[in-house]
Amino acid sequence: MKLILVIDLGTSNTKASLFDESGTIQFDASMHTPTLFDESRMEIDQEALWIGIRDLVANARASVRPGDQIEAITLSSMACTVIPVDAEGQSLHPALSWLEKRPYEHYTLPFLKRYLDGYSIPDCGQYPLAMYPAFKIAWFHDTFPEKAANVSWWVNISDFIYAKLLGQTDRFFCDYSIASRTMLFDDRTKKWNPHALREFSIDTAKLPTPLPAGSVLGTIGREVNALGLSPDTRVILGAHDHVCASTGAAIRSTDRILHSTGTSEVLTTFFEGTDTTRPPRQWVNVESATIARENLLVAFCSSSGQIFKSLSDVLRPSEAAQGDRLLQAADTLAGRPLFVPPVRSMQSGIAGSMNRLPGVFGADDLWQSIYEGFAFECRRNLDRLYHLTGQRPQKMVSIGGQSKNPYLTQLRSNIWGVPVERLLASDLTARGAFLIAAVACGLYDDVYETAVHFYEQSEKDMFVPDSQSTAAYDRFYREYYLAQFPLGIDSI
């Protein structure tokens, strides 16, 4: 039987999943991603990561039954990391992760102010975010001028690992979705954006070659072959982890939206338009999809997971506050604070607030307000997507850590007024990468049709909005939550 190995490069953990032809996981293992996080830096040790990945690959190979063979290796990966690489293919500095904030004050913020005054880069589908490599590269040049003078390549962490898998040092590749998370890519032409390259003084020759997801990059190099894999094992270009999840969820229409929870809350739907500069003006990003030359709309709500974790460390909610109490509060909104989340649209400089503070409220009231506030902010992003697509969602597909709470999922359905289908499987990102590689290997004919087939077979449940609660939340959202923003849905 032919097997496909998916390596998922995550911020906290890196995971290996070995799929058989039917999409069943035969082997599953993970390691902590070797981060170098402290108060002053958010970096990843890519060399230590590669050593760990080799161990994962070796363990996956050891699990293969006689007669079976690993046909291909692919990646799903975090985006927006930056590794400076020299002419010999050696990295010059630890990877600057997508969480890195040092470039914000002197590089991202000045550009953001220009953007708010009306300036934008032609053919750019992203609004300015501190995580984008465009700002990190400028910061690195000024902070480490001697190292910058020796840079031959600026690559994402996935580009670096592909090169290691291939055993090469002189060529780097990225898929369209990773490229479109740099602020340097044109999602219409699928080429590096010359306007953006001039804006940030970046040489095209120092960027990896962008190719469609599913491209066969070659076969494994000697280092991976020595782990016991066949020298004919193919290395196949995967995609950004979030986009892999949208593939696994079969997102290819504007009436279907993927709601991802975890470190942050994100909404993703299909983009039918051609004007990639319009969505960023409404704080929605364009991102290349994994299917053909198509694009997605990606609306970042906030860093909800980080806030929930920080708050629970100091103020734990009662069981009721995470249970049925969540669904009994629509008519008592006036008795709780109105919470507006910080880091809206992933802008690290945007503060949150507590408004309409009643005279007396308890810890559970605070938790209820926070749950509702994030849901209201998602609702505001839903309105943005509707304004861009002209299509009200018929279904939300919810995945990630927070979706595991059925009461919270029902609360969100009530506030959004949209049915929410909760996917119970936890491997949607890896499954999306598997589908891309499986089609590239000829195991299936079409990525989207295969994604629909697998999604329909997945275990899931449905949450339908309660009409009475939805009506109460809708009034509160329109009269009070939107009133916190001068430009309504167009404000951050």
Side-chain angles (χ1 to χ4, degrees):
M1 181 177 291
K2 295 178 179 178
L3 308 172
I4 290 175
L5 180 59
V6 175
I7 308 293
D8 180 17
L9 306 179
T11 309
S12 300
N13 296 290
T14 293
K15 183 178 178 182
S17 301
L18 189 60
F19 289 83
D20 66 20
E21 295 175 25
S22 70
T24 302
I25 295 178
Q26 299 291 338
F27 169 86
D28 207 4
S30 65
M31 56 172 274
H32 290 298
T33 301
T35 55
L36 304 168
F37 289 1
D38 56 35
E39 293 181 357
S40 64
R41 62 175 178 167
M42 293 289 182
E43 299 175 347
I44 296 170
D45 185 340
Q46 64 270 15
E47 298 292 348
L49 175 63
W50 170 240
I51 292 171
I53 287 173
R54 281 189 332 207
D55 291 340
L56 290 175
V57 172
N59 291 336
R61 172 63 186 88
S63 75
V64 175
R65 296 170 297 189
D68 293 349
Q69 179 173 308
I70 297 177
E71 183 78 5
I73 302 177
T74 191
L75 304 178
S76 63
S77 173
M78 68 183 103
C80 302
T81 57
V82 173
I83 304 174
V85 177
D86 67 16
E88 283 72 46
Q90 300 300 311
S91 53
L92 297 167
H93 191 84
L96 302 173
S97 86
W98 65 276
L99 291 166
E100 180 61 64
K101 295 180 173 62
R102 283 175 288 181
Y104 179 76
E105 184 176 356
H106 297 294
Y107 298 87
T108 311
L109 185 57
F111 190 94
L112 176 61
K113 291 177 178 177
R114 293 169 61 201
Y115 186 80
L116 291 170
D117 287 337
Y119 175 76
S120 62
I121 299 171
D123 305 323
C124 181
Q126 291 77 45
Y127 56 83
L129 287 172
M131 70 174 74
Y132 288 146
F135 302 108
K136 293 175 183 170
I137 291 172
W139 172 84
F140 191 89
H141 264 291
D142 292 344
T143 308
F144 303 102
E146 293 184 4
K147 288 183 179 180
N150 293 318
V151 172
S152 293
W153 303 91
W154 301 102
V155 300
N156 189 66
I157 200 160
S158 54
D159 313 342
F160 183 80
I161 298 300
Y162 283 124
K164 290 289 190 180
L165 291 168
L166 293 164
Q168 62 187 32
T169 59
D170 60 342
R171 300 174 68 198
F172 291 89
F173 302 94
C174 65
D175 89 290
Y176 294 157
S177 69
I178 291 290
S180 69
R181 293 300 302 279
T182 60
M183 208 173 169
L184 300 170
F185 195 61
D186 186 332
D187 292 285
R188 300 172 307 108
T189 64
K190 307 303 180 188
K191 296 180 180 179
W192 296 113
N193 184 342
H195 306 289
L197 297 178
R198 283 195 295 271
E199 174 73 36
F200 295 103
S201 301
I202 295 173
D203 184 355
T204 313
K206 293 186 177 182
L207 297 176
T209 302
L211 296 171
S215 297
V216 178
L217 300 180
T219 55
I220 57 171
R222 284 182 294 179
E223 188 174 2
V224 183
N225 177 220
L227 301 175
L229 279 72
S230 165
D232 296 326
T233 305
R234 285 174 277 186
V235 178
I236 295 175
L237 198 59
H240 178 206
D241 50 16
H242 183 69
V243 173
C244 284
S246 73
T247 301
I251 301 298
R252 209 185 186 187
S253 63
T254 56
D255 65 350
R256 182 182 176 93
I257 294 178
L258 176 66
H259 170 243
S260 303
T261 70
T263 306
S264 59
E265 251 180 299
V266 186
L267 303 179
T268 305
T269 192
F270 189 64
F271 181 45
E272 295 179 326
T274 57
D275 181 4
T276 57
T277 60
R278 182 186 171 211
R281 282 294 164 196
Q282 294 183 262
W283 305 105
V284 175
N285 277 322
V286 175
E287 186 164 346
S288 288
T290 62
I291 300 171
R293 299 174 67 83
E294 296 173 355
N295 292 318
L296 301 167
L297 291 174
V298 181
F300 297 104
C301 300
S302 183
S303 299
S304 54
Q306 294 176 335
I307 293 169
F308 286 142
K309 182 181 183 303
S310 298
L311 183 60
S312 63
D313 287 342
V314 297
L315 186 67
R316 294 191 177 276
S318 69
E319 290 186 11
Q322 297 185 83
D324 56 3
R325 186 182 191 275
L326 284 169
L327 308 180
Q328 300 170 3
D331 296 327
T332 58
L333 284 162
R336 293 189 300 280
L338 169 60
F339 172 67
V340 177
V343 200
R344 297 181 298 279
S345 299
M346 296 301 285
Q347 292 288 351
S348 55
I350 298 295
S353 62
M354 279 287 183
N355 305 300
R356 293 171 51 85
L357 295 177
V360 178
F361 63 92
D364 283 357
D365 292 318
L366 179 63
W367 273 96
Q368 180 84 25
S369 295
I370 290 174
Y371 285 133
E372 289 167 339
F374 279 116
F376 283 138
E377 186 58 26
C378 271
R379 165 73 184 273
R380 210 161 63 98
N381 278 273
L382 280 173
D383 287 349
R384 286 177 179 148
L385 293 176
Y386 168 64
H387 189 74
L388 289 165
T389 66
Q391 173 72 55
R392 291 285 185 191
Q394 301 302 306
K395 181 194 295 184
M396 302 275 284
V397 176
S398 191
I399 63 171
Q402 295 166 38
S403 69
K404 294 177 182 178
N405 183 336
Y407 296 100
L408 181 55
T409 303
Q410 182 63 60
L411 174 70
R412 287 165 166 160
S413 178
N414 293 344
I415 291 176
W416 299 337
V418 179
V420 176
E421 190 168 71
R422 182 177 63 156
L423 197 65
L424 301 181
S426 60
D427 62 351
L428 191 65
T429 296
R431 187 167 298 278
F434 157 73
L435 294 172
I436 295 165
V439 171
C441 289
L443 302 182
Y444 299 98
D445 295 329
D446 181 86
V447 173
Y448 177 67
E449 290 179 3
T450 308
V452 171
H453 168 76
F454 276 102
Y455 184 82
E456 289 176 347
Q457 304 302 313
S458 300
E459 188 178 0
K460 44 195 174 294
D461 50 15
M462 181 70 78
F463 297 80
V464 178
D466 172 75
S467 58
Q468 184 173 347
S469 294
T470 296
Y473 277 120
D474 184 67
R475 287 193 298 272
F476 191 86
Y477 167 75
R478 295 182 184 282
E479 293 177 12
Y480 299 107
Y481 191 80
L482 281 183
Q484 308 303 312
F485 304 94
L487 300 176
I489 66 171
D490 294 327
S491 296
I492 55 170

